[in-house]
């Protein structure tokens, strides 16, 4: 059997961490500062100093390898170099133990290789701001070093063997994997083949495939099949919504031979959803699940591994049995899982753990992006930042007096920004230099203070520092893809760095993944997604034809009725009559989609007056998970009534109401984003980047029509389903609008009296 290779850092992280989990904020040097710090330290060393000494040793089938930072053969001293900022004493104990262990492992291998009787082992901490070094050194005999090295290896060997065996068995199971149904659904095989090719050939694929063909299985099945062939380490299934996560877990369960254990699946859930002690802070002095975390971790990890489907529920159970934090147990388990299901942000956000681990561990990661049209909005928000004058004031108030004076320049500048007439300034192409300088200045002062003075995570000063730091960080990457807004609020201004085109940020993520499959029911037109999401030119495209027949769905478009903002009051009676008459003709469950909560209220009132016997239920702003479930539970098989919802909200996608649970949808809007200064500034960015001709469509038309297709997609869920879609706006008659609607629809045009909604045919 080939040796199982492990890096020195990974080995020590596994074997040498003990004691408490401590996630109190300690300011760290950036990767660039770290590199620079290493260079500066090496410049201080004598000429004979050996840097980056490659070392390796094989023991009992375990190959340990890495590069020692430096060795001085004259003083016989091995150095492990670490950079930091803030107070030396704030470096957590478990980090120091890890650093010490790394240095000793390198020293043991070096003694062995050069036949030395012993050496001085030194961990050198370099303060990146003060350029000061602090060393912790001791002379160790070779025998002691070797005993330590053997102890680390032995602790890992059994684990390494288990992992090697698992990988072999996993790959064999993937090779032997059969599709779990007798046959593929129409279009499903086509998607599966393209998804397999993308992983095998390390490519990107942009796939549009209709709802109901089994997309989840069609991308996961080939993802697993490709694991041995492409040498994949991980499969990431990324979703925008919880419902997508459950479908992926179900598919992975169904594919697993005998439902058990061939591949390890981990569900990643946000910390606030998983933390059983929300009133505590993440360190041993506050949270009992953090105290001694690393001492109890090995047993918890082993038991967690015995759960092939590590859903968040199972993870909670294991964590509770071992009294460790479930969230940080899941962070540990992602290193040992084969398939990981979680939100987009675990891979695409600035500090995404799956992305950073892909780089650090040099994983070959297959990335599957579910309902990928959502990535546009989600990525925009990931690469946007803001802070307000109110936050600035609160932070100043919380700051000690010595620090308060550093707030003054930024406070003054922000006061000057308040426009006299109180209007907003949307879409500036530049951040004023003096403003940015003052943001950087304050961030540096706050950084130095919080580094020396640990404080609770929820301190307004620390929270503001994070906001400001992120703002400054993104401001450093400001470009034609983003805008800067100054927005007047009741108590001051809000500075808003707004990303419009996340392409430049996302492009490097695709580059560091192995193969990426972005799939959705609505990725039309593909050029829009290519441009905005920054897909590489080599990206393959697939458009799976719909298996549905026009006879399954009666689509009516009502000419003569306008739901434009200015016409809404007039549209009420028309909308009410169409909805009520359709309901009388064909009683059952319907969804009525409207452009805003305000309009929803107006329509609801009008409906109640006009059709008092028709049951209605409403979406409310900010509904909890339970309230959403209750809303959907109204759609029973023998139910009757109309659920009113906002287009683009919680019920217009990712909702599955097959058969009689939903027989029709009314869409009383074209879904276009509002025409306002914010959106007009988006249009200008689109014009600059992609040309005037595309700007309107990229800003208004495509995002609007995408919502329509998604909402209408709730009605027909499989080849036997039947239903109605009523498009309540005259603009649906336009050719360029119809071109963006599903091509299997046959649209029947009905002329109406705008006021009454009465058909004029
Ligand atoms: S249980 Fe909650 S407070 Fe405790 S360490 Fe975990 S996330 Fe932090």
């Amino acid at each position: 059997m080939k040796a199982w290779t492990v890096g020195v850092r990974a080995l020590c992280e596994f074997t040498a961490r003990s004691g408490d989990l401590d996630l109190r904020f300690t300011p760290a040097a950036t990767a660039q500062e770290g590199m620079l710090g290493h260079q500066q330290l090496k410049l201080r060393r004598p000429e004979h100093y050996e840097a980056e000494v490659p070392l390796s040793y094989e023991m009992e089938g375990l190959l340990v390898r890495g590069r020692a930072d430096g060795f001085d053969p004259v003083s016989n001293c091995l150095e492990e170099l670490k950079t930091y900022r803030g107070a030396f004493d704030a470096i957590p104990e478990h980090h120091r133990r890890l650093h010490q262990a790394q240095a000793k492992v390198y020293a043991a291998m070096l003694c062995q290789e050069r036949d030395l009787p012993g050496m001085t082992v030194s961990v050198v901490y370099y303060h990146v701001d003060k350029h000061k070094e602090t060393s912790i050194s001791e002379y160790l005999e070779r025998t002691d070093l070797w005993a330590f090295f053997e102890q680390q290896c032995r602790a890992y060997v059994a684990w390494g063997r288990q992992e090697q065996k698992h990988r072999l068995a996993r790959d064999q199971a993937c090779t032997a994997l059969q599709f779990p149904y007798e046959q593929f659904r129409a279009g499903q095989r086509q998607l599966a083949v393209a998804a397999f090719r993308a992983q095998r050939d390390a490519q990107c694929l942009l796939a549009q495939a209709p709802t109901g063909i089994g997309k989840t299985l069609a991308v996961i099945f080939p993802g697993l099949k490709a694991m041995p062939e492409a040498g994949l380490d991980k499969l990431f299934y990324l979703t925008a919504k919880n419902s997508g996560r459950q479908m992926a877990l179900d598919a992975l369960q169904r594919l697993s031979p005998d439902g058990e254990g061939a591949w390890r699946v981990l569900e990643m859930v946000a910390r606030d959803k998983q933390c059983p002690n929300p009133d505590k802070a993440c360190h041993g002095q506050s949270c009992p699940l953090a105290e001694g975390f690393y001492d109890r971790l090995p047993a918890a990890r082993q038991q967690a591994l015995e759960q092939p489907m590590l859903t968040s529920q199972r993870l909670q159970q294991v964590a509770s049995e071992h009294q460790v934090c479930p969230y940080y147990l899941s962070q540990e388990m992602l290193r040992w899982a084969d398939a990981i299901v979680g939100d987009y942000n675990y891979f695409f956000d600035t500090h995404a753990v799956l992305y950073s681990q892909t780089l650090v561990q040099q994983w070959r990661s297959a990335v599957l992006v579910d309902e990928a049209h959502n990535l546009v909005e989600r990525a925009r928000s990931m690469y946007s930042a803001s802070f307000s004058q109110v936050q600035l004031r609160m932070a100043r108030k919380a700051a000690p007096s010595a620090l308060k004076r550093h707030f003054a320049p930024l406070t003054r500048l922000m006061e000057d920004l308040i426009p006299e007439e109180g209007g907003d300034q949307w879409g500036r192409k530049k951040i004023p230099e003096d403003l940015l300088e003052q943001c950087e200045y304050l961030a540096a002062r706050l950084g130095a203070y919080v580094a020396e003075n640990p404080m609770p995570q929820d301190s307004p000063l620390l929270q503001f520092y994070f906001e400001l730091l992120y703002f400054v960080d993104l401001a450093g990457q400001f470009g034609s893809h983003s805008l800067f807004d100054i927005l007047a609020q009741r108590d001051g201004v809000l500075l808003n760095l707004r990303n419009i085109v996340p392409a430049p940020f996302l492009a490097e993520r695709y580059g560091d993944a192995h193969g990426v499959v972005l799939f959705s029911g609505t990725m039309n037109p593909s050029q829009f997604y290519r441009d905005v999401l920054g897909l590489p030119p080599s990206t393959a495209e697939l458009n799976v034809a719909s298996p549905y027949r026009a006879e399954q769905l009666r689509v009516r478009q009502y000419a003569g009725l306008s739901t434009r903002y200015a016409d809404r009051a007039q549209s009420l009676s028309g909308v009410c009559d169409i909805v009520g008459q359709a309901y009388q003709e064909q009683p059952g469950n319907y969804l009525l989609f409207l452009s805003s909560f305000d309009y929803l209220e107006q329509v609801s009132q009008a409906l109640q007056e006009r059709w008092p016997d028709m049951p209605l239920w409403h979406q409310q702003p900010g509904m909890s998970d339970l309230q959403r479930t209750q809303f959907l539970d109204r759609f029973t098989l023998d139910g009757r009534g109309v659920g009113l919802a906002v287009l683009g909200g919680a019920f217009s996608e990712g909702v599955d109401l097959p058969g009689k649970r939903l027989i029709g949808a009314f869409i009383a809007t074209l879904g276009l984003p509002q025409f306002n200064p914010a959106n007009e500034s988006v249009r200008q960015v689109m014009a600059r980047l992609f040309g005037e001709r595309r700007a309107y469509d990229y800003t208004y038309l495509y995002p609007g029509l995408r919502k329509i297709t998604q909402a209408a997609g709730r009605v027909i869920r499989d080849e036997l389903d039947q239903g109605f879609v009523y498009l309540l706006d005259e603009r649906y008659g336009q050719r360029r609008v119809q071109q963006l609607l599903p091509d299997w629809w046959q649209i029947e045009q009905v002329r109406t009296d705008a006021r009454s909604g009465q058909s004029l045919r």
Side-chain angles (χ1 to χ4, degrees):
M1 204 183 259
K2 226 175 92 196
W4 178 257
T5 303
V6 65
V8 171
R9 189 189 160 97
L11 171 73
C12 295
E13 274 177 349
F14 190 84
T15 57
R17 286 183 303 178
S18 60
D20 296 355
L21 179 84
D22 189 346
L23 287 150
R24 269 175 290 204
F25 173 71
T26 46
T30 62
Q32 213 174 4
E33 286 168 338
M35 264 162 35
L36 207 66
H38 275 227
Q39 282 167 10
Q40 284 165 341
L41 275 176
K42 281 168 191 165
L43 284 174
R44 293 179 182 182
R45 300 298 183 255
E47 220 171 282
H48 57 259
Y49 187 79
E50 298 173 32
E52 300 289 324
V53 186
L55 291 162
S56 62
Y57 193 87
E58 188 176 332
M59 176 181 282
E60 297 180 23
L62 180 73
L63 178 65
V64 182
R65 67 178 182 201
R67 282 174 186 273
D69 287 330
F71 178 60
D72 184 334
V74 174
S75 62
N76 192 29
C77 176
L78 177 130
E79 290 186 325
E80 178 68 14
L81 310 179
K82 299 291 173 195
T83 49
Y84 76 107
R85 60 161 33 108
F88 181 74
D89 292 342
I91 300 172
E93 192 50 41
H94 65 95
H95 283 188
R96 291 194 207 196
R97 283 200 209 113
L98 176 65
H99 303 154
Q100 197 67 29
Q102 283 172 265
K104 281 159 81 173
V105 166
Y106 284 125
M109 290 198 286
L110 193 60
C111 280
Q112 189 75 5
E113 191 182 284
R114 301 199 184 176
D115 199 16
L116 300 169
M119 64 176 58
T120 302
V121 181
S122 186
V123 182
V124 181
Y125 290 96
Y126 180 71
H127 197 296
V128 288
D129 298 323
K130 297 178 182 162
H131 309 290
K132 194 179 133 206
E133 44 185 295
T134 309
S135 299
I136 297 179
S137 310
E138 60 179 329
Y139 182 85
L140 290 166
E141 301 287 346
R142 175 174 166 175
T143 44
D144 293 335
L145 285 169
W146 199 248
F148 179 80
F149 179 71
E150 282 187 330
Q151 190 193 12
Q152 305 310 303
C153 290
R154 296 238 154 81
Y156 194 84
V157 154
W159 182 269
R161 283 211 191 107
Q162 167 188 294
E163 287 309 288
Q164 204 172 12
K165 227 170 108 198
H166 167 74
R167 175 74 175 243
L168 217 70
R170 181 200 82 175
D171 284 353
Q172 278 168 0
C174 288
T175 306
L177 182 64
Q178 299 288 328
F179 194 66
Y181 297 106
E182 259 176 40
Q183 51 189 3
F184 287 88
R185 290 192 205 164
Q188 196 179 28
R189 188 186 170 80
Q190 211 187 343
L191 177 57
V193 169
F196 179 80
R197 287 195 183 127
Q199 300 304 346
R200 185 194 60 193
D201 305 337
Q203 288 270 326
C204 281
L205 169 70
L206 185 65
Q208 174 169 275
T211 308
I213 68 156
K215 290 196 284 285
T216 311
L217 206 57
V219 295
I220 292 181
F221 171 67
L224 290 169
K225 287 293 279 182
M227 283 191 118
E229 199 167 327
L232 293 175
D233 297 301
K234 305 281 169 186
L235 187 77
F236 301 150
Y237 190 98
L238 307 171
T239 68
K241 299 202 162 92
N242 291 354
S243 50
R245 222 165 57 203
Q246 192 51 51
M247 281 161 76
L249 291 170
D250 292 345
L252 283 157
Q253 173 85 54
R254 192 163 307 127
L255 284 164
S256 192
D258 307 323
E260 287 298 324
W263 37 81
R264 300 173 185 149
V265 178
L266 171 70
E267 179 187 16
M268 304 253 320
V269 174
R271 185 166 68 179
D272 58 346
K273 293 246 160 63
Q274 223 167 25
C275 170
N277 298 332
D279 55 328
K280 305 262 189 293
C282 303
H283 59 85
Q285 286 148 29
S286 171
C287 176
L289 301 182
E291 189 186 0
F293 174 88
Y294 289 111
D295 304 330
R296 296 188 296 279
L297 178 63
R301 178 171 54 205
Q302 188 59 49
Q303 197 190 326
L305 269 202
E306 285 154 21
Q307 314 283 324
M309 287 292 293
L310 205 50
T311 57
S312 83
Q313 226 177 4
R314 286 201 198 165
L315 195 112
Q316 294 268 10
Q317 284 162 5
V318 175
S320 148
E321 272 176 50
H322 292 269
Q323 284 300 292
V324 292
C325 165
Y327 177 71
Y328 289 103
L329 178 61
S330 77
Q331 298 274 306
E332 168 70 19
M333 297 317 296
L334 67 88
R335 300 177 59 179
W336 314 108
D338 301 300
I340 297 165
V341 180
D343 188 272
Y344 290 169
N345 63 23
Y346 290 111
F347 190 79
F348 289 111
D349 210 342
T350 34
H351 301 295
V353 64
L354 293 181
Y355 177 64
S356 64
Q357 285 294 312
T358 293
L359 297 185
V360 171
Q361 310 287 348
Q362 299 183 345
W363 286 335
R364 278 192 180 193
S365 303
V367 177
L368 310 176
V369 188
D370 177 37
E371 300 297 350
H373 59 271
N374 288 306
L375 189 56
V376 176
E377 275 311 315
R378 290 291 306 278
R380 279 175 175 166
S381 69
M382 288 174 204
Y383 295 98
S384 296
S386 64
F387 71 89
S388 69
Q389 219 168 348
V390 176
Q391 285 170 296
L392 182 74
R393 276 188 219 122
M394 280 169 61
R396 187 180 176 280
K397 206 169 153 200
S401 43
L403 201 59
K404 284 196 197 302
R405 66 191 165 88
H406 298 299
F407 282 77
L410 183 57
T411 306
R412 267 197 304 275
L413 271 177
M414 283 181 81
E415 265 155 22
D416 290 347
L417 288 173
I418 302 175
E420 270 171 24
E421 315 78 57
D424 294 330
Q425 298 174 42
W426 290 98
R428 287 182 166 210
K429 283 180 249 161
K430 276 194 176 149
I431 307 171
E433 264 173 41
D434 51 351
L435 181 74
L436 187 52
E437 267 167 31
Q438 290 311 329
C439 288
E440 286 168 347
Y441 170 80
L442 184 58
R445 297 279 74 77
L446 290 180
Y449 179 79
V450 298
E452 305 287 343
N453 301 278
M455 59 190 74
Q457 205 74 13
D458 58 357
S459 140
L461 187 61
L462 192 60
Q463 288 302 319
F464 176 73
Y465 171 58
F466 291 150
E467 303 283 350
L468 184 64
L469 201 62
Y470 193 50
F471 185 90
V472 167
D473 183 22
L474 283 182
Q477 304 172 63
F478 193 74
S480 53
H481 46 70
S482 296
L483 292 170
F484 175 59
D485 310 318
I486 301 170
L487 307 180
Q489 294 184 317
R490 203 154 52 95
D491 297 319
V493 291
L494 175 87
L495 304 185
N496 191 26
L497 226 157
R498 183 164 45 114
N499 177 254
I500 310 297
V501 178
F505 297 105
L506 299 180
E508 65 169 12
R509 306 285 158 129
Y510 312 129
D512 290 318
H514 181 75
V516 182
V517 178
L518 298 108
F519 60 100
S520 160
T522 41
M523 300 228 69
N524 180 31
S526 60
Q527 191 59 45
F528 168 69
Y529 292 98
R530 280 176 171 275
D531 286 342
V532 178
L533 295 178
L535 291 165
S538 59
T539 300
E541 272 183 40
L542 175 72
N543 191 358
V544 177
S546 172
Y548 307 139
R549 294 158 288 113
E551 307 86 81
Q552 286 182 257
L553 185 71
R554 184 159 190 190
V555 187
R556 283 182 163 183
Q557 180 258 317
Y558 288 81
L561 179 70
S562 165
T563 57
R564 289 179 182 90
Y565 187 72
D567 300 328
R568 279 197 196 147
Q570 283 184 327
S571 69
L572 289 177
S573 74
V575 170
C576 285
D577 282 351
I578 293 166
V579 172
Q581 279 160 16
Y583 179 82
Q584 302 297 323
E585 278 167 30
Q586 190 76 44
N589 293 318
Y590 292 84
L591 269 166
L592 166 56
F593 291 104
L594 300 140
S595 51
S596 66
F597 282 107
D598 188 37
Y599 189 41
L600 184 150
E601 273 306 317
Q602 294 174 34
V603 171
S604 169
Q605 224 169 5
L607 278 172
Q608 276 169 35
E609 283 164 20
R610 176 79 178 82
W611 306 99
D613 297 332
M614 188 166 67
L616 300 178
W617 55 98
H618 304 179
Q619 181 181 0
Q620 306 285 348
M623 282 168 108
S624 66
D625 287 352
L626 177 67
Q627 288 169 321
R628 287 183 198 186
T629 309
Q630 286 168 343
F631 180 95
L632 293 174
D633 284 347
R634 300 283 302 261
F635 294 84
T636 55
L637 278 176
D638 52 0
R640 302 263 190 281
V642 181
L644 283 77
V646 169
L647 187 76
F651 303 109
S652 49
E653 60 180 279
V655 166
D656 193 19
L657 297 168
K660 295 267 182 245
R661 289 192 66 194
L662 182 71
I663 64 163
F666 306 94
I667 304 177
T669 169
L670 195 59
L672 303 187
Q674 241 183 37
F675 185 80
N676 59 26
N679 287 328
E680 272 301 279
S681 63
V682 173
R683 194 183 59 73
Q684 284 160 13
V685 170
M686 295 301 187
R688 280 198 293 277
L689 294 179
F690 308 115
E692 199 61 59
R693 206 170 48 85
R694 291 182 183 168
Y696 175 83
D697 293 351
Y698 277 29
T699 309
Y700 295 104
L701 194 59
Y702 299 160
L705 268 289
R706 196 253 305 143
K707 285 188 259 170
I708 304 300
T709 314
Q710 277 293 334
R714 302 309 97 209
V715 179
I716 300 295
R717 308 302 293 167
D718 61 41
E719 283 117 309
L720 299 175
D721 221 345
Q722 298 218 323
F724 308 85
V725 166
Y726 297 84
L727 304 170
L728 310 188
D729 193 287
E730 61 193 9
R731 287 167 291 173
Y732 285 106
Q734 294 170 12
R735 227 169 92 81
R736 67 182 190 145
V737 169
Q738 293 199 354
Q739 276 170 348
L740 294 167
L741 296 173
D743 52 13
W744 61 277
W745 285 10
Q746 262 176 28
I747 301 174
E748 177 192 340
Q749 200 176 74
V750 182
R751 285 184 56 234
T752 45
D753 178 312
R755 282 186 189 280
S756 68
Q758 293 293 326
S759 166
L760 299 180
R761 278 179 310 171

